[in-house]
Amino acid sequence: MSRDLAQRVLQGERRALARALSLVENDAPEGEALLEALFPHTGRAHLVGFTGPPGVGKSTLVARLARYFRREAPSPRTVGILAVDPTSPFTGGALLGDRIRMRDLAGDPGVFIRSMASRGAVGGLARNTAAAAQVLDAAGFDLVFIETVGAGQAEVEIARLAHTVVVVQAPGLGDEIQALKAGILEIADILVVNKADRPGAQQLARTLENWLGRRTPKGEGPDDASPASASNTPWIPPVLLVTATQGEGIPQIAQSLKEHAAHLKRTGAWQERERRRFESELRERVLLTFWRRWETRAKQLGLSQLLERILKREISPQRAAETLLRQMWSDQETKG
Amino acid sequence: MTERKIRVLIAKPGLDGHDRGAKIVARALRDAGMEVIYTGIRQTPEMIAEAALQEDVDVVGLSILSGAHMTLVPQVLEKLREAGMDHVLVLVGGIIPPEDVPKLREMGVYKVYGPGTPTRQIVEDIRRAVLGESQTQPEPMA
């Protein structure tokens, strides 16, 4: 059945694509099989992340950029969009409102927009956003735009998923130190100062330029570990002034995306980023499997008795953990 | 490990800009643990069907205060059918004269809610219809 669904996704059937995204998002068993069937067909899309504080205009920017690639660019490209909004930690519900800003894209078969709730994941994405991006990639979208939860200073998961990270800032959100201390600046491949028609935009752009200048003194900076300089030729993130509501500066972002993709491919950083992404995906999958097995086995292994003994100070948590792990490993061996 | 969340699209078709009711319902459904995709005002029937498909929702809630429900609702239902989304639960809220309610239900609308409906009732109706149904009969892979 899922093989069938995979076929239909590959043929670009939109209802099948929507179902596939749900299966993957919900951790359904069919979703796993589906991802496996689709995987050989992934790796063609340019994955672009958009992050930045709430209210800087990420959705509007994403919508305008998608529109540019569809209708204005010299050669049109198809765009899949994943828009992540936060799940309430109290009710488990979510209000997903990014589509409000994307109504311009309605009716275009070269665009597919999907809203995702973060469902308890931290870091600005949902746990299955990477898998959803793979589905859109397999479905043949040239570009996959991933808009994170309105991120502050530490939500940097997107750097592991995307080939290119666009960090969006806007004037008037606090003094310039606020912008500089944000960890998200360090993951930027392209910096956008949106709402450039507002006072303070020029100054914010200059501040960012200066900060970048100090940060990348031609290859010898303290930032050799940063994704942007993963090869010997450093990529210096451009700072672009944009007024997304007017479409001003949008072609420049498109141009920078193109240049960045070319840079990544030329320097081998494209491969390196993918390797890093798959490494963390692998790790997460293994941990998740361990975690699930642990949850089913813990009770049988006498967790509550061990807890009692810890409470009485008869055994330390470290020793208790060792005991449990040894038992789980021996499970493994008798099975294998 | 499958996480089943009820997904609801809240849309305002037509030209009236009164979105207070729609927002109140959207918030109530979110607070009840649902994932609510809010599309805002002035949606065409095509836009609503397209969003319902892309978001793979279980429920479409239409808020109409313009009096044009007898024109708009059949159009939305038609577009949903064309998109292969005729399995979704369609709810209508707004100012609907009592004599129109049976007509709307006959067209395929599950429930019609007038002003003053407790949001709790909407939550319960959705839960019963979506979760109740999916327990007895799994959703077909249309």
Side-chain angles (χ1 to χ4, degrees):
Chain A
M1 171 186 62
S2 61
R3 185 154 293 279
D4 214 44
L5 188 64
Q7 266 318 314
R8 290 165 52 209
V9 170
L10 292 172
Q11 283 155 12
E13 207 184 298
R14 292 164 81 80
R15 173 85 188 103
L17 176 54
R19 283 300 301 153
L21 289 169
S22 298
L23 291 173
V24 162
E25 184 178 27
N26 293 337
D27 280 330
E30 306 98 295
E32 296 277 301
L34 183 78
L35 280 173
E36 204 179 325
L38 293 179
F39 186 71
H41 305 275
T42 63
R44 283 175 298 194
H46 184 184
L47 310 184
V48 184
F50 294 83
T51 190
V56 292
K58 292 184 294 296
S59 301
T60 306
L61 187 85
V62 164
R64 283 307 284 245
L65 197 58
R67 197 176 93 170
Y68 174 85
F69 278 113
R70 294 299 301 146
R71 299 183 213 163
E72 293 153 46
S75 49
R77 308 182 70 193
T78 54
V79 186
I81 298 173
L82 296 172
V84 188
D85 268 331
T87 292
S88 159
F90 303 107
T91 66
L95 195 53
L96 312 170
D98 292 321
R99 288 190 88 96
I100 297 172
R101 320 254 176 248
M102 300 186 185
R103 52 181 296 142
D104 251 15
L105 301 169
D108 183 344
V111 174
F112 195 100
I113 307 168
R114 181 63 172 248
S115 314
M116 289 184 93
S118 64
R119 296 193 181 175
V122 292
L125 298 176
R127 191 164 52 71
N128 289 325
T129 303
Q134 281 187 7
V135 174
L136 288 171
D137 182 353
F141 288 95
D142 300 320
L143 293 156
V144 175
F145 289 172
I146 301 135
E147 182 189 335
T148 74
V149 169
Q153 299 169 341
E155 292 85 348
V156 294
E157 275 293 303
I158 188 67
R160 272 201 278 181
L161 169 55
H163 296 115
T164 305
V165 176
V166 180
V167 172
V168 188
Q169 299 279 340
L173 296 175
D175 63 24
E176 38 186 71
I177 300 304
Q178 291 299 328
L180 293 188
K181 76 179 181 190
I184 53 171
L185 282 188
E186 288 156 45
I187 62 168
D189 300 303
I190 298 168
L191 267 160
V192 167
V193 175
N194 194 27
K195 309 190 188 186
D197 54 342
R198 297 208 180 164
Q202 297 279 353
Q203 201 200 332
L204 177 58
R206 261 197 308 276
T207 306
L208 294 172
E209 294 262 18
N210 286 339
W211 179 80
L212 287 168
R214 276 199 296 279
R215 184 171 147 260
T216 6
K218 294 283 177 237
E220 45 136 327
D223 65 325
D224 286 338
S226 92
S229 58
S231 79
N232 353 355
T233 6
W235 166 265
I236 303 194
V239 179
L240 305 175
L241 283 159
V242 174
T243 309
T245 50
Q246 309 299 316
E248 273 165 39
I250 296 293
Q252 284 75 11
I253 303 178
Q255 180 62 26
S256 293
L257 285 177
K258 200 173 144 192
E259 284 166 12
H260 188 246
H263 169 87
L264 291 178
K265 285 180 175 158
R266 192 172 55 238
T267 57
W270 183 280
Q271 279 265 328
E272 198 173 318
R273 283 189 182 207
E274 298 227 305
R275 170 191 288 272
R276 213 166 32 217
R277 166 151 50 93
F278 289 133
E279 190 185 336
S280 72
E281 184 179 343
L282 216 54
R283 188 184 309 128
E284 267 161 41
R285 284 189 177 278
V286 170
L287 285 175
L288 197 67
T289 309
F290 270 126
W291 176 247
R292 285 174 184 168
R293 184 168 302 164
W294 153 253
E295 282 197 318
T296 48
R297 272 298 270 146
K299 212 182 276 175
Q300 299 153 306
L301 291 174
L303 177 68
S304 52
Q305 291 96 306
L306 270 176
L307 276 173
E308 285 304 319
R309 291 184 59 203
I310 296 174
L311 279 168
K312 290 184 194 144
R313 303 300 194 272
E314 289 174 10
I315 183 173
S316 69
Q318 291 84 342
R319 277 297 299 278
E322 263 176 45
T323 312
L324 286 170
L325 279 173
R326 209 174 302 130
Q327 276 168 290
M328 283 189 69
W329 288 128
S330 66
D331 280 3
Q332 200 70 4
E333 277 154 25
T334 48
K335 240 189 258 168
Chain B
M1 271 294 161
T2 300
E3 192 175 3
R4 176 78 164 96
K5 287 272 185 191
I6 299 176
R7 282 171 72 88
V8 186
L9 183 81
I10 299 286
K12 276 195 61 65
L15 297 175
D16 79 279
H18 306 285
D19 57 0
R20 230 186 125 126
K23 282 178 175 160
I24 288 170
V25 171
R27 201 160 49 215
L29 299 183
R30 177 199 65 184
D31 290 345
M34 301 179 195
E35 291 182 354
V36 182
I37 295 104
Y38 187 76
T39 60
I41 58 173
R42 302 205 174 94
Q43 300 280 307
T44 66
E46 289 84 358
M47 287 162 87
I48 293 169
E50 183 183 43
L53 179 143
Q54 292 181 357
E55 302 289 354
D56 194 25
V57 292
D58 307 290
V59 181
V60 171
L62 303 172
S63 165
I64 308 173
L65 294 137
S66 62
H69 48 274
M70 293 309 278
T71 334
L72 290 169
V73 172
Q75 286 174 3
V76 172
L77 292 171
E78 175 60 27
K79 293 293 166 193
L80 283 172
R81 256 192 298 278
E82 281 174 20
M85 294 297 288
D86 35 359
H87 59 279
V88 299
L89 202 67
V90 177
L91 309 174
V92 173
I95 316 271
I96 312 287
E99 63 269 26
D100 288 344
V101 174
K103 293 179 204 156
L104 290 173
R105 300 217 35 185
E106 206 167 302
M107 290 174 198
V109 172
Y110 182 68
K111 286 269 161 90
V112 177
Y113 301 106
T117 307
T119 51
R120 195 170 8 94
Q121 192 194 325
I122 306 176
V123 169
E124 277 168 22
D125 287 346
I126 292 177
R127 280 203 184 130
R128 195 172 321 116
V130 175
L131 299 177
E133 194 184 270
S134 76
Q135 271 160 18
T136 52
Q137 188 192 340
E139 197 187 348
M141 306 273 292

